[in-house]
Amino acid sequence: RMEVTAPEDYTVNGAGRKTRETHDGPRTTVVWETEHPVRFLNLVAGRWVSRKGEGVAVFHHPAHTHNVEAILKALEVSRRRFSEWFRPYPWKELRLSEFPDHATRARGFPTNIPFSEGIGFLTRRGESGIDLPTVVTVHEAAHQWWAHLLTPGRAPGADVLLEGMAHYSTMLLLEAEYGSQARAEFARNLESRYTDERRADAERPLMKILEARGATDETAVQDKGAWVMWMLDDLLGREATLKGLRSFIARFERSRDHPALQDLIEELRPLAGSNAAYDAFVDQWFQDVVLPEFQIRDARVERGAGGWTVTATIANVGGGTMSVDVAAIAGDTEARTSVTVPSGAEAVAVWTAPFEPE
């Protein structure tokens, strides 16, 4: 319960829902109370106007209307989708409140997301691709689940349950609401940032990062953590993964025993079709540091009775064992196969295309 007195021209947003508002001359007193437990409190005030949607609201400077519709939509679909996938949202409203660009960032507190004008409201959107205000809004909304409904303990890998899961949730939502190309573009940005910012001689396994120390740790838990979860989702299947995440939140949400990354891995283990494949995945992506890098050593095409036979030799000059798709292309048409290549090895892929590849 928060009781706050402020100048009457300010709107005051706190955690939970506003249960009382009284006026005394030039000052206003408001009371905010949470209908569901919270572990963090947030207080933010401003001279705003607001736009409301279904169970959500955006508070912003009257002149900063450029991205309000995109932000409001992202907040709405995040609340709806994450409630379906992870656990119903237990609070009445999810709000986003603009603040000046003293710090270019956003922070996802329970029921209230302080959001810098410089990272969303004043950002110019490009003609194509997913825009920054939408991505940041979805990521911060995801923290309502991956921080506040599921609060990890202070243990190695904990940040993967916060930042990695928020990015993974963003990938899920972008694909569901904005299309596979939007998700792919976001995923490529994560991969590019990871390969740019990591230091191979300093990177630690996800399971061993207690707290992020520098850019290498940060990009590992956030960016690598997200696409490792995406690959695990692919290994287990979408429905099985979401089932496991729901049971994981339900198990630990009200528990005094805050979970670690190992707890999530064990929660998902029974959902794997193969224990050997699951263990190999966990060992490679959570317990180790690997980065595959593929080269096409040879490729040729031969005309046959059933089409064109494509033969390609693929080498993995990086680390880890990874399955990779290989495509023969002509214009916008392609024929694909996949091949698994261990570190330092080559594999030959042979497949047929019904067209002459370029």
Side-chain angles (χ1 to χ4, degrees):
R1 181 182 183 277
M2 306 171 67
E3 182 173 329
V4 185
T5 300
E8 63 178 350
D9 58 338
Y10 278 82
T11 299
V12 177
N13 286 336
R17 61 190 177 94
K18 185 165 64 175
T19 58
R20 183 164 62 88
E21 180 175 322
T22 58
H23 302 273
D24 183 11
R27 302 185 71 77
T28 299
T29 298
V30 296
V31 175
W32 285 87
E33 298 181 77
T34 62
E35 56 271 70
H36 186 82
V38 296
R39 296 187 175 97
F40 300 86
L41 292 178
N42 171 249
L43 174 67
V44 58
R47 297 184 180 95
W48 297 308
V49 295
S50 66
R51 286 289 312 280
K52 292 185 179 291
E54 188 175 347
V56 300
V58 176
F59 293 79
H60 64 94
H61 188 286
H64 296 174
T65 60
H66 178 62
N67 291 325
V68 169
E69 286 297 328
I71 292 172
L72 185 67
K73 177 188 175 182
L75 206 59
E76 260 187 341
V77 297
S78 294
R79 173 172 177 158
R80 175 170 54 84
R81 287 288 190 173
F82 296 155
S83 291
E84 294 171 0
W85 291 333
F86 304 138
R87 181 252 196 262
Y89 190 68
W91 297 286
K92 182 178 180 180
E93 188 177 65
L94 175 58
R95 293 175 301 283
L96 186 148
S97 306
E98 182 185 14
F99 67 85
D101 200 29
H102 301 310
T104 307
R105 67 184 185 190
R107 297 292 297 273
F109 289 98
T111 76
N112 208 30
I113 303 172
F115 202 107
S116 164
E117 63 182 356
I119 203 171
F121 289 89
L122 302 183
T123 304
R124 292 292 170 184
R125 284 179 283 165
E127 295 182 358
S128 62
I130 199 67
D131 57 274
L132 182 65
T134 294
V135 168
V136 176
T137 299
V138 174
H139 175 98
E140 296 304 329
H143 281 310
Q144 301 297 308
W145 286 262
W146 305 109
H148 303 311
L149 292 174
L150 190 287
T151 306
R154 189 176 183 273
D159 280 352
V160 177
L161 298 180
L162 299 173
E163 299 300 336
M165 289 303 298
H167 269 346
Y168 162 76
S169 302
T170 302
M171 294 170 75
L172 286 175
L173 188 133
L174 290 179
E175 184 170 80
E177 293 289 337
Y178 299 89
S180 59
Q181 289 302 312
R183 192 274 306 166
E185 179 182 331
F186 178 68
R188 283 194 296 270
N189 289 338
L190 300 187
E191 182 177 302
S192 178
R193 186 164 59 229
Y194 170 72
T195 54
D196 286 346
E197 296 185 2
R198 72 187 289 264
R199 275 182 47 197
D201 62 341
E203 184 178 351
R204 295 181 285 169
L206 294 176
M207 199 75 86
K208 295 185 179 180
I209 302 176
L210 176 58
E211 55 187 25
R213 299 195 301 261
T216 294
D217 284 348
E218 289 174 2
T219 193
V221 297
Q222 293 183 27
D223 305 321
K224 176 184 175 179
W227 50 258
V228 166
M229 281 303 305
W230 186 265
M231 291 191 296
L232 184 56
D233 177 306
D234 186 59
L235 178 68
L236 299 177
R238 177 63 46 79
E239 288 306 314
T241 303
L242 294 181
K243 177 183 177 181
L245 295 178
R246 285 192 293 270
S247 65
F248 183 58
I249 290 178
R251 176 182 168 196
F252 285 103
E253 180 186 348
R254 304 294 285 270
S255 172
R256 294 171 61 91
D257 178 19
H258 297 272
L261 181 56
Q262 290 92 333
D263 293 302
L264 175 59
I265 290 170
E266 292 308 311
E267 190 79 28
L268 297 177
R269 183 181 299 278
L271 304 172
S274 164
N275 286 336
Y278 187 81
D279 289 341
F281 183 95
V282 169
D283 289 345
Q284 177 165 279
W285 293 110
F286 289 103
Q287 303 276 19
D288 200 356
V289 176
V290 300
L291 184 62
E293 181 179 349
F294 300 105
Q295 294 178 353
I296 300 175
R297 293 279 171 84
D298 179 58
R300 59 187 183 274
V301 177
E302 294 179 357
R303 178 71 182 269
W308 283 261
T309 299
V310 185
T311 304
T313 301
I314 311 299
N316 181 1
V317 298
T321 298
M322 188 75 185
S323 175
V324 62
D325 285 354
V326 188
I329 299 174
D332 294 330
T333 305
E334 63 178 45
R336 291 190 175 206
T337 189
S338 63
V339 61
T340 299
V341 194
S343 175
E346 294 182 348
V348 177
V350 181
W351 71 107
T352 301
F355 54 87
E356 183 177 6
E358 296 172 358

